[in-house]
Amino acid sequence: MSLSELSLLKRLMGGVAVAALAVTLAACSDEKKETASAPETAPATTESAETKPADTVTTAATAPAATEIAQAAPAAKAEVPAADGDVDMAKVLEPGPLPEMAIGDANAPVTIVEYMSMTCPHCATFHNETFEPIKQKYVDTGKVRFIVREFPFDPRAAAAFMLARCAPSEQYFPMISMLFKQQEQWAAAENGREALLQMSKLAGFTQESFEACLTNQKLLDDVNAVRERGAKEFGIAATPTFLINGQRYSGGMSVDTMSALIDSKL
């Protein structure tokens, strides 16, 4: 390996300061957009048995059965989230620096493009909890085409994307799924290089193929170009961000919320 290759590998996999990485993992956004602080949850207001008026006490004989209450209450329907803005979907789907990583029918009525970072915990939550049910419900049934695009916020995220790109194309989605499931083991590890190497070996990499992938300057440049294009042309500033049929939505979604959104576009 040349000195330039070693330098690139060291830059990609060198230790990221724990504090800096913690900020990245918590925010899942860059300096262009600050994540709003979550409002504090107000403590629930409860009435004690001592303060409850006597005439409101319901006896066991007159209280409705719990099962009857459950049957009578209608299930809450997930609300369709508001879009952050509009995008030109024809422009979004133009070829980019890297081959498109997509699953689903190319003629599906709904197209979802997700920009994500491999070290983002919100992206991991989406892929670990929401992605597979959505895939089964909409992608596998021909209603949705789902495209993943790289938006790394740090060197480890870029390295993880490079490794997924170096795997056979049919292994891209399984590899990012594995990396998301094991995110805590490698994203904040003291030795990021060694942690990613062990993850990669599970996907069939050798020491040699691992190093060859991470010293591929053109691949690194292309991954970063995907990120820059997303930021400049489509307003991506946080992860995950979804471009769905011409509208932009930022933030993770539950199965019910994304289902409601997809259904509104069918």
Side-chain angles (χ1 to χ4, degrees):
M1 200 181 330
S2 68
L3 289 176
S4 60
E5 290 174 336
L6 283 171
S7 176
L8 174 61
L9 182 58
K10 181 177 180 181
R11 178 163 57 90
L12 275 171
M13 301 309 301
V16 177
V18 175
L21 183 57
V23 171
T24 299
L25 296 183
C28 289
S29 63
D30 62 9
E31 67 279 5
K32 297 178 183 177
K33 181 176 181 180
E34 295 181 357
T35 303
S37 300
E40 295 183 2
T41 303
T45 302
T46 59
E47 289 183 331
S48 68
E50 295 177 356
T51 60
K52 190 169 185 178
D55 59 1
T56 63
V57 176
T58 305
T59 65
T62 60
T67 55
E68 293 177 355
I69 296 175
Q71 291 173 358
K77 187 177 180 180
E79 294 184 0
V80 176
D84 296 338
D86 297 330
V87 292
D88 183 344
M89 210 63 186
K91 189 174 182 180
V92 169
L93 297 178
E94 290 177 356
L98 288 169
E100 206 79 284
M101 288 301 175
I103 54 174
D105 189 343
N107 297 315
V110 176
T111 298
I112 299 175
V113 178
E114 180 194 4
Y115 280 88
M116 66 184 190
S117 178
M118 291 304 302
T119 51
C120 170
H122 303 303
C123 300
T125 297
F126 175 81
H127 277 268
N128 293 339
E129 299 178 6
T130 301
F131 177 75
E132 190 58 33
I134 291 298
K135 177 180 177 296
Q136 294 175 5
K137 186 176 181 181
Y138 296 102
V139 178
D140 295 345
T141 57
K143 298 176 181 177
V144 166
R145 180 169 176 80
F146 201 102
I147 300 169
V148 164
R149 289 185 182 168
E150 295 88 348
F151 203 84
F153 279 120
D154 56 79
R156 289 191 191 185
F161 279 130
M162 290 172 72
L163 291 166
R165 284 284 183 175
C166 287
S169 59
E170 67 273 12
Q171 291 299 314
Y172 183 87
F173 278 88
M175 187 159 183
I176 63 172
S177 177
M178 176 193 71
L179 289 170
F180 274 135
K181 285 181 171 63
Q182 304 297 327
Q183 187 187 73
E184 292 182 0
Q185 295 187 22
W186 62 269
E190 182 176 354
N191 188 332
R193 178 186 181 281
E194 183 61 28
L196 266 181
L197 174 60
Q198 297 309 314
M199 294 292 103
S200 300
K201 285 182 176 179
L202 296 175
F205 281 79
T206 64
Q207 178 84 34
E208 291 74 19
S209 61
F210 174 83
E211 293 181 356
C213 179
L214 294 185
T215 53
N216 185 333
Q217 182 65 53
K218 183 180 186 307
L219 178 56
L220 175 61
D221 292 343
D222 287 345
V223 166
N224 286 330
V226 171
R227 180 187 188 279
E228 291 305 312
R229 181 187 178 213
K232 293 178 180 178
E233 297 186 19
F234 311 125
I236 310 300
T239 58
T241 292
F242 304 92
L243 307 182
I244 306 178
N245 282 25
Q247 292 186 302
R248 185 177 60 246
Y249 302 85
S250 298
M253 298 188 201
S254 66
V255 175
D256 289 344
T257 299
M258 179 157 274
S259 294
L261 178 55
I262 294 172
D263 289 342
S264 73
K265 297 181 181 297
L266 290 174

